């Protein structure tokens, strides 16, 4: 810890201290922060698997069942938009508990659902919780590192690797349940129940290891708490000054002002590229990634066990490795360029898969693997990375929440429309899906904003002045 004391008088002083003293060893804290991503991916993949069985059990069409399942994404959209208000009112630590707590209770109830309406209500509760959680996690990681460090891009983008670790876990759980003499129609219920238990474990880890946000403490006038956090987490001896200022006191007004700033001339290109990358990657993943067992069951022989095993292999070998490699090379290539490359390769692979869907199971697996790999290494995680690193702390949660919200629209489109397109066109549907990553690559080519290594934290005082003017 520094022996001399640093005086802080504003939230910007706290932000500057963090930027100058980023945590060197924050791997464990980053992984715990990203625990909500693990739950989000787990429950999404589990419901994607159970779509067919839910339709059969409750007598619904596949399209209507997918629509009901997509309710979690709609709720998450609104939850993401509310995350800024939640942390302003309750702080980071308690907001973390609120988000995953709602998800845990909702998923626990889903596993015992007696009818489709109960399922719908529980999915909405889960969605709100997941929507609140992710912006908090991404913002917490950015605060640990400080956006001036290029390592922030690596840390934030690790959420994509976590996503594929979680989806791989889903298929391993399903395979284990499948060989435990549990009927196939009940696998999704058992799987979601296990997901609720994992969510509770993540909540406990966060309570033990994730503390309060120093920036939030300063922003609401709790400078003694901010100094305590700076000392314990960053090793900086700080004390409150004589001319203390706060960021904002009224959550409703600050939230409205924050969303307004996202669309000003300075921040609009950042909002557009983050939103487009997020929407397009979610659309393509909602179609290919979540319905991977369905796709492989059509292409491969051997029934459910082979489809689940193939899904686990593709996710583990291609998804996890892609997410890890993408996080390692983002500091060299940048988020925009990596997104453009990933979208381009996925476009070509989807067209090839449409032309030669069943020429060879190995060719099909290779193409699907390429799609998952370049999605994971490229735009899969980078939309949210762009959003996290494009805005200063005072509007970061609003930016992440908005981009995460519109990203859900892409997920809804993939979740709802892909079963319909697949049912009508079969593997020819890949031709139509290829349009999505193509649009993403074009937008990345046209908008030149690159957030990796850009010290957007330095813009916070300017943005806070604008927020005060709105109030």
């Amino acid at each position: 810890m520094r022996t001399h004391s640093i005086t802080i008088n504003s939230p910007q002083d706290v932000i500057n201290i963090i930027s100058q003293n980023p945590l060197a060893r924050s791997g464990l804290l980053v992984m715990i922060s990203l625990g909500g991503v693990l739950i989000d991916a787990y429950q999404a993949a589990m419901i994607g698997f159970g779509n067919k069985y839910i339709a059969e059990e409750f007598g619904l069409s596949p399209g209507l069942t997918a629509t009901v399942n997509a309710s979690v994404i709609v709720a998450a959209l609104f939850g993401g938009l509310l995350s800024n208000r939640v942390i302003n009112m309750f702080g980071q630590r308690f907001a973390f508990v609120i988000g995953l707590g709602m998800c845990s209770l909702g998923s626990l109830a889903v596993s015992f659902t007696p009818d489709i309406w109960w399922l719908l209500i529980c999915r909405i509760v889960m969605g709100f919780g997941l929507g609140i959680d992710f912006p908090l996690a991404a913002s917490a990681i950015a605060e640990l590192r400080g956006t001036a460090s290029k390592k922030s891009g690596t840390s934030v983008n690790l959420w994509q690797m976590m996503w594929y670790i979680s989806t791989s876990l889903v298929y391993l759980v399903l395979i284990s349940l499948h060989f435990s003499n549990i009927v196939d129609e009940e696998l999704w219920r058992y799987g979601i129940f296990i997901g609720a238990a994992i969510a509770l474990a993540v909540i406990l880890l966060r309570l033990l290891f994730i503390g309060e946000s120093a920036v939030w403490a300063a922003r609401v006038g709790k400078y003694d708490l901010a100094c305590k956090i700076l000392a314990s987490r960053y090793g900086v001896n700080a004390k409150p000054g004589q001319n203390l200022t706060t960021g904002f006191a009224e959550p409703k007004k600050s939230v409205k002002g924050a969303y307004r700033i996202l669309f000003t001339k300075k921040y609009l290109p950042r909002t557009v590229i983050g939103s487009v990358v997020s929407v397009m990657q979610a659309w393509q993943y909602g179609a290919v990634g979540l319905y991977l067992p369905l796709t492989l069951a059509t292409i491969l022989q051997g029934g459910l066990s082979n489809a689940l095993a193939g899904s686990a292999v593709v996710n583990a070998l291609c998804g996890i490795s892609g997410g890890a490699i993408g996080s390692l090379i983002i500091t060299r290539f940048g988020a925009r360029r990596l997104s453009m490359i990933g979208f381009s390769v996925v476009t070509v692979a989807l067209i090839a898969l449409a032309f030669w869907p069943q020429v060879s199971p190995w060719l099909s697996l290779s193409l699907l693997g390429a799609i998952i790999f370049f999605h994971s290494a490229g735009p899969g995680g980078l939309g949210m990375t762009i959003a996290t690193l494009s805005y200063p702390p005072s509007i970061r949660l609003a930016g992440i929440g908005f981009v995460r919200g519109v990203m859900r629209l892409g997920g809804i489109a993939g979740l709802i429309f892909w079963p319909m397109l697949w049912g009508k066109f079969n593997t020819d549907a890949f031709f139509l899906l290829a349009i999505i990553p193509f649009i993403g690559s074009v937008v990345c080519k046209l908008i030149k904003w690159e957030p990796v290594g850009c010290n957007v934290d330095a813009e916070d005082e300017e943005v806070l002045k604008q927020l005060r003017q709105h109030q």
Side-chain angles (χ1 to χ4, degrees), residues 13-35:
D13 292 337
V14 176
I15 293 168
N16 292 340
I17 288 173
I18 294 173
S19 295
Q20 295 163 10
N21 301 274
L23 284 183
R25 297 179 180 178
S26 57
L28 176 62
L29 296 179
V30 168
M31 291 297 104
I32 295 174
S33 296
L34 291 174

Side-chain angles (χ1 to χ4, degrees), residues 245-319:
T245 62
T246 58
F248 41 78
E250 299 182 64
K252 288 186 178 179
K253 292 184 178 180
S254 66
V255 169
K256 291 179 181 178
Y259 286 122
R260 188 181 293 114
I261 292 173
L262 297 182
F263 296 94
T264 57
K265 183 178 179 180
K266 181 174 183 176
Y267 291 103
L268 181 60
R270 310 182 191 186
T271 302
V272 170
I273 190 171
S275 298
V276 171
V277 171
S278 292
V279 167
M280 297 308 168
Q281 69 81 19
W283 196 325
Q284 70 185 24
Y285 179 77
V288 176
L290 293 185
Y291 289 111
L292 192 58
L294 171 67
T295 306
L296 289 177
T298 302
I299 294 174
L300 302 177
Q301 303 295 320
L304 180 62
S305 58
N306 277 11
L308 291 174
S311 299
V313 170
V314 170
N315 274 273
L317 293 183
C318 303

